[in-house]
Amino acid sequence: MHEMSLAEGVIQILEEYAMNEGFSRVKTVWLEVGQLSNVEVDSFRFCFEVVCRGTLAENATLEVIETPGRGYCLDCCQSVEHSQRFDPCPQCNGYKVQATEGSEMRVKELEVE
Ligand SMILES: [Zn+2]
């Protein structure tokens, strides 16, 4: 499952932060998930809970912030709303839209102790 490896990736990031900044527990994680990131939020939540067990983020609250997707249309040469990969351009209905925003997932903020 792809969400499982993403969740493991997030834990690794948290452990690196913990080492650099000297905290030992993570209480809340705010995670930005782009509309184009192909992350299934519900299954990600489940995986995150599983991989958190026995780590510094055990029982941490996960707050997911969904960020809108945007793309750049090569036909009409402008930035357009793009909420689904492979959707046509809302302006010209062309399929040459390249995702520019919202294809990532990142840790935005942490509450630690
Ligand atoms: Zn277009």
Side-chain angles (χ1 to χ4, degrees):
M1 205 193 302
H2 138 94
E3 276 74 17
M4 193 58 95
S5 56
L6 290 172
E8 283 167 355
V10 171
I11 297 290
Q12 276 176 11
I13 291 170
L14 300 183
E15 284 175 345
E16 273 170 38
Y17 281 166
M19 266 206 283
N20 293 338
E21 295 176 30
F23 56 82
S24 56
R25 300 242 0 117
V26 176
K27 289 166 71 181
T28 314
V29 181
W30 282 268
L31 195 71
E32 274 188 351
V33 178
Q35 273 186 328
L36 303 174
S37 62
N38 288 327
V39 176
E40 181 63 57
V41 172
D42 287 341
S43 73
F44 182 81
R45 279 183 187 282
F46 171 78
C47 295
F48 186 75
E49 216 185 287
V50 172
V51 298
C52 277
R53 285 182 200 147
T55 73
L56 77 172
E58 186 158 16
N59 298 323
T61 307
L62 179 66
E63 300 282 354
V64 173
I65 305 156
E66 289 190 71
T67 57
R70 288 200 71 81
Y72 183 79
C73 176
L74 297 176
D75 282 332
C76 49
C77 295
Q78 60 179 326
S79 175
V80 293
E81 269 178 47
H82 192 51
S83 58
Q84 284 282 324
R85 240 174 238 275
F86 309 119
D87 260 12
C89 170
Q91 307 289 333
C92 70
N93 288 318
Y95 282 89
K96 290 183 190 158
V97 182
Q98 292 185 332
T100 52
E101 279 171 52
S103 54
E104 296 177 342
M105 189 182 83
R106 68 181 192 100
V107 176
K108 184 166 187 268
E109 219 182 306
L110 295 175
E111 187 189 3
V112 300
E113 58 180 22

